[in-house]
Amino acid sequence: MSLYDDRPELKTETEHTADESVNVSMVMEFPFRLLEWGIDAESNIVYLSDEITEHTLPELIQKFRTVLRFNDPDEGKKPINLLINCLGGDLISTLGIVDYINSLDRPVNTICRGGAMSAAAVILTCGTGKRFMSPNSTVMFHEGSMMEMGRVTDVKNSIKWSEVLLEKIYGLLADKTKEDADFWKKTLQADTYLTAEECIKSGVIDEII
């Protein structure tokens, strides 16, 4: 399947991204624009490169759905490839992305080319298919940071909730790697940078490509 195949324009069904800039008929009529939108339908690739914010999850869902529309049903449920070069971002949104990946009826391969930092490192590790990393890429784990202002009680509650989220992260990493939750709790206390070889050793990825 080529990005430049002649395909009929969809007349009746329209889906929008968070900023309503993409719809299915536009994608079918102008497939060369897919790369601008962070999609390579020919290779089943979705790109994650911007900071992870509250907008990232709905945008990724739209990208995944658009890629799936190009899949030939006769070819079966091919994996989706999530290509990551991202500095990280919001932890709540990250957990939402992990849940979405787990909800799909097909595997999601995660591929780090460049860097997978902070929250993006968690997404890389939690791929449901094969997890890959190019030889000169970098992965960085840490527990993150928060800048909370307001009433003392609200700040304390935010800290408690952050600790709950971090416990979820420790558990996810333990489930997906060769190390236990205590290892990850200790590792995430400071910025910890890992090479591709170190990621293989700890079970963060499955293969160097």
Side-chain angles (χ1 to χ4, degrees):
M1 184 186 301
S2 169
L3 280 173
Y4 300 97
D5 285 347
D6 292 326
R7 296 176 180 272
E9 179 180 350
L10 295 183
K11 301 292 185 181
T12 60
E13 188 171 3
T14 301
E15 294 183 10
H16 296 277
T17 58
D19 62 1
E20 297 188 346
S21 62
V22 180
N23 62 55
V24 174
S25 63
M26 288 171 64
V27 170
M28 292 301 191
E29 184 178 0
F30 304 112
F32 60 86
R33 291 185 179 176
L34 290 173
L35 291 176
E36 297 178 19
W37 293 330
I39 302 167
D40 181 349
E42 185 175 30
S43 301
N44 257 24
I45 291 175
V46 171
Y47 294 92
L48 176 60
S49 57
D50 294 332
E51 178 186 1
I52 299 169
T53 70
E54 68 272 20
H55 303 296
T56 305
L57 176 58
E59 289 171 355
L60 270 182
I61 291 174
Q62 182 61 53
K63 290 178 182 181
F64 273 69
R65 288 178 176 175
T66 303
V67 165
L68 290 173
R69 291 185 181 279
F70 281 83
N71 280 198
D72 186 340
D74 293 334
E75 295 179 356
K77 295 179 178 179
K78 299 191 300 182
I80 298 176
N81 301 302
L82 181 59
L83 191 63
I84 301 169
N85 180 30
C86 177
L87 296 178
D90 181 66
L91 188 55
I92 292 176
S93 298
T94 295
L95 291 171
I97 292 169
V98 170
D99 285 344
Y100 175 70
I101 290 173
N102 283 317
S103 74
L104 294 173
D105 64 351
R106 66 193 65 217
V108 175
N109 299 327
T110 50
I111 306 158
C112 174
R113 286 194 181 276
M117 310 294 187
S118 186
V122 175
I123 296 172
L124 171 68
T125 309
C126 290
T128 56
K130 296 278 285 184
R131 301 162 305 163
F132 303 98
M133 188 173 170
S134 57
N136 294 310
S137 292
T138 302
V139 167
M140 187 272 281
F141 289 97
H142 66 181
E143 66 180 5
S145 60
M146 59 181 293
M147 295 184 65
E148 190 71 26
M149 297 181 64
R151 294 179 300 181
V152 172
T153 300
D154 291 338
V155 172
K156 288 180 178 179
N157 287 338
S158 294
I159 292 172
K160 288 179 181 179
W161 184 243
S162 297
E163 291 172 346
V164 170
L165 295 180
L166 283 172
E167 290 295 333
K168 291 178 180 288
I169 296 297
Y170 304 147
L172 285 171
L173 296 177
D175 288 341
K176 299 294 290 188
T177 67
K178 301 173 184 177
E179 308 291 352
D180 61 19
D182 287 338
F183 169 88
W184 288 111
K185 185 174 184 177
K186 181 178 180 180
T187 299
L188 268 64
Q189 288 179 359
D191 291 356
T192 302
Y193 293 85
L194 300 177
T195 64
E197 290 78 13
E198 289 169 332
C199 286
I200 284 280
K201 183 178 179 179
S202 61
V204 170
I205 62 168
D206 303 300
E207 187 176 336
I208 299 173
I209 55 173

